[in-house]
Amino acid sequence: SAIALSPDETTLVAVNRDVGSVSVFSVDYADGQPAMTLTAEIDLGAGSEPWQVAIDGCGTRAYVALRKDQKVVAIDDLTTAPVVVGSVSVGSEPTGIALTPNNTKLYVANWVDGTLSVINPATMTATATIDLNAALVATGLLGTLASRPALAHPRALAITNDGDASDTDESVYVTEWFAQRTAPESADGKNSDTNKQGLVYKVAVGVVGGATSTIALPPVADTGFPDRLNATTGCFPNQIGSITIEGANAYVTSTCASPVGPVGVFQKGACTATSQCTSISVTSVCTAGACTLACTSNADCGAVGGVCTLPGGTCNANTNDAKATTHPAVSVIDLAANTATTKNLDIDFVGKASSRMPLLPTDIGFFNSFGYIPAMGADGVFRIVLTGGQITDVGSATNDFINLRKDANDKLIRMPIGVATGFTQAFAFVANEGSRDVTALALSAQAIAGNQVDD
């Protein structure tokens, strides 16, 4: 994540992507609230783009992936006098980083190359490179194609922990940023909402070269948001940004794409022939110099407010006629079965009459049977309720979402990019890229807690 909490919950490390540094905080709970104190800011180089951070099991060392510099740096003595003690080169644009439970291997996702770098954290040397491009080609989703760099775009990592002293029996799960096509586009484009799927790579830690398989993240058949004819719409997981393991499942956030068009019955600009309008819709026609939708009844022009002008059969502009084109989603992977389900979350927040929904989810963390999702496009953190590992509700009896703005006078844009949840303490910490600060959350109150510190 962009922010990490030590196992004893007393040290917090956050990356500052735009200025090339990391901030180290001490956290004190003496008064029952998490009081954060900035203890160090470590300069990693202007423009280095520190992207993600992981803290080891001892809570004394952090590892930071530098996206622009194509390196991983190690920072020691987090609790005393933090200092950079080593670095190692990795692939192009590293965006994800994670440690095995016993600190024996460090995995880094190289977004441009389509590879994983494997690092020995004790010596800060690269020991292997795992090619995910070949795994993507092996799915057959790309057709007949030879493997080459930059076909795959691994983004985020999570590693299992079975609690024993060996890391060789663990698995690394890696998100593929882009959705993959599963069927040809239909002539009318009406299958575009569901003819792609998300993908997660599964890599065996104990196999030399990392034996790799894939898990499909299926599309959503019904988003709950109908199109202009009141017909069902779907979406497919795309821009798959984070993955977190909780219990027997992994939870993957994405922006679920719903591209079937047109997005509305409006005049679409000047035309001289109907052939110029077919890119808008196969039933669009050129009428009086503008592209409009052909119709025989009002129902053809939208479920609400549609008006079909006869004779001629063209739809009037309909400001009610629009279609959601993206949805915030979470895919739940059953780690034993290697299967997944996908759920879009916005329809559940509509049911709560919430004023916000988790637009552009960036991360997910867990405490007890609840997940917490920071949303960059909403300046909020959104709670999901888990029952049997599945998402059964959203929000809480206290709040539909946790507002990252302190009060009505707070107009500062937060843009949260990461969350670190407590292990025993019912608190979470959110890294905000827009406001350059960290917000502490009291999960029992579903609200901001403690002090807020600029980083």
Side-chain angles (χ1 to χ4, degrees), residues 229-450:
L229 298 178
N230 208 31
T232 297
T233 65
C235 69
F236 55 81
N238 192 36
Q239 297 180 356
I240 302 167
S242 75
I243 180 169
T244 304
I245 293 172
E246 172 72 4
N249 300 292
Y251 298 83
V252 183
T253 64
S254 67
T255 296
C256 204
S258 184
V260 171
V263 296
V265 183
F266 303 102
Q267 292 189 340
K268 299 290 183 178
C271 61
T272 57
T274 293
S275 60
Q276 297 171 345
C277 303
T278 55
S279 62
I280 300 167
S281 169
V282 294
T283 57
S284 286
V285 294
C286 185
T287 304
C291 294
T292 57
L293 203 66
C295 59
T296 57
S297 68
N298 288 349
D300 294 334
C301 299
V304 178
V307 176
C308 180
T309 300
L310 298 171
T314 58
C315 292
N316 293 354
N318 182 357
T319 57
N320 294 304
D321 189 11
K323 174 182 179 287
T325 56
T326 61
H327 304 266
V330 173
S331 297
V332 182
I333 301 174
D334 182 325
L335 299 180
N338 294 318
T339 57
T341 58
T342 303
K343 179 179 179 60
N344 65 298
L345 302 177
D346 45 359
I347 189 63
D348 293 327
F349 282 96
V350 169
K352 299 287 185 181
S354 175
S355 62
R356 300 187 204 176
M357 56 87 172
L359 177 66
L360 302 180
T362 55
D363 199 1
I364 185 169
F366 292 89
F367 188 81
N368 290 339
S369 295
F370 304 105
Y372 293 88
I373 301 172
M376 183 181 284
D379 275 359
V381 175
F382 297 80
R383 190 176 86 159
I384 59 174
V385 181
L386 303 178
T387 304
Q390 296 300 308
I391 302 169
T392 54
D393 201 0
V394 297
S396 72
T398 305
N399 292 316
D400 291 328
F401 61 92
I402 302 174
N403 192 349
L404 292 178
R405 299 184 186 181
K406 293 176 284 187
D407 53 43
N409 295 319
D410 183 0
K411 307 298 183 183
L412 197 60
I413 302 299
R414 294 291 191 274
M415 293 181 63
I417 57 173
V419 64
T421 49
F423 305 104
T424 60
Q425 304 272 2
F427 300 103
F429 303 88
V430 180
N432 302 306
E433 188 169 53
S435 52
R436 297 183 180 181
D437 56 24
V438 171
T439 304
L441 306 180
L443 302 183
S444 57
Q446 295 291 290
I448 292 176

Side-chain angles (χ1 to χ4, degrees), residues 24-294:
V24 182
F25 303 88
S26 65
V27 187
D28 182 79
Y29 305 88
D31 66 353
Q33 296 293 321
M36 295 178 287
T37 302
L38 180 64
T39 58
E41 182 161 349
I42 301 171
D43 184 4
L44 298 176
S48 60
E49 285 193 80
W51 202 258
Q52 282 200 357
V53 58
I55 297 178
D56 71 3
C58 299
T60 58
R61 174 181 276 203
Y63 300 92
V64 183
L66 305 182
R67 184 168 182 173
K68 182 177 181 295
D69 283 359
Q70 302 182 179
K71 291 181 179 180
V72 169
V73 298
I75 301 171
D76 261 357
D77 302 323
L78 292 179
T79 60
T80 53
V83 60
V84 175
V85 293
S87 68
V88 57
S89 295
V90 291
S92 182
E93 294 199 34
T95 57
I97 188 167
L99 271 165
T100 53
N102 296 289
N103 302 328
T104 60
K105 291 184 179 182
L106 183 68
Y107 285 81
V108 182
N110 302 309
W111 190 78
V112 170
D113 294 350
T115 62
L116 296 183
S117 293
V118 186
I119 297 169
N120 180 338
T123 61
M124 286 299 287
T125 56
T127 60
T129 299
I130 298 171
D131 182 13
L132 299 179
N133 300 289
L136 179 57
V137 168
T139 65
L141 296 173
L142 302 182
T144 304
L145 185 69
S147 178
R148 62 168 176 78
L151 292 175
H153 292 85
R155 189 72 172 194
L157 301 169
I159 303 177
T160 58
N161 182 3
D162 63 8
D164 64 21
S166 172
D167 285 340
T168 60
D169 53 359
E170 307 297 350
S171 296
V172 184
Y173 292 85
V174 189
T175 64
E176 167 62 41
W177 176 251
F178 293 115
Q180 304 298 312
R181 187 178 299 280
T182 57
E185 198 85 3
S186 62
D188 60 4
K190 297 304 182 184
N191 70 338
S192 297
D193 283 356
T194 55
N195 69 343
K196 291 186 180 181
Q197 67 181 22
L199 206 65
V200 168
Y201 305 99
K202 179 181 179 181
V203 180
V205 170
V207 177
V208 176
T212 304
S213 57
T214 57
I215 300 170
L217 307 181
V220 175
D222 184 358
T223 66
F225 294 92
D227 67 10
R228 68 181 188 83
L229 298 178
N230 208 31
T232 297
T233 65
C235 69
F236 55 81
N238 192 36
Q239 297 180 356
I240 302 167
S242 75
I243 180 169
T244 304
I245 293 172
E246 172 72 4
N249 300 292
Y251 298 83
V252 183
T253 64
S254 67
T255 296
C256 204
S258 184
V260 171
V263 296
V265 183
F266 303 102
Q267 292 189 340
K268 299 290 183 178
C271 61
T272 57
T274 293
S275 60
Q276 297 171 345
C277 303
T278 55
S279 62
I280 300 167
S281 169
V282 294
T283 57
S284 286
V285 294
C286 185
T287 304
C291 294
T292 57
L293 203 66

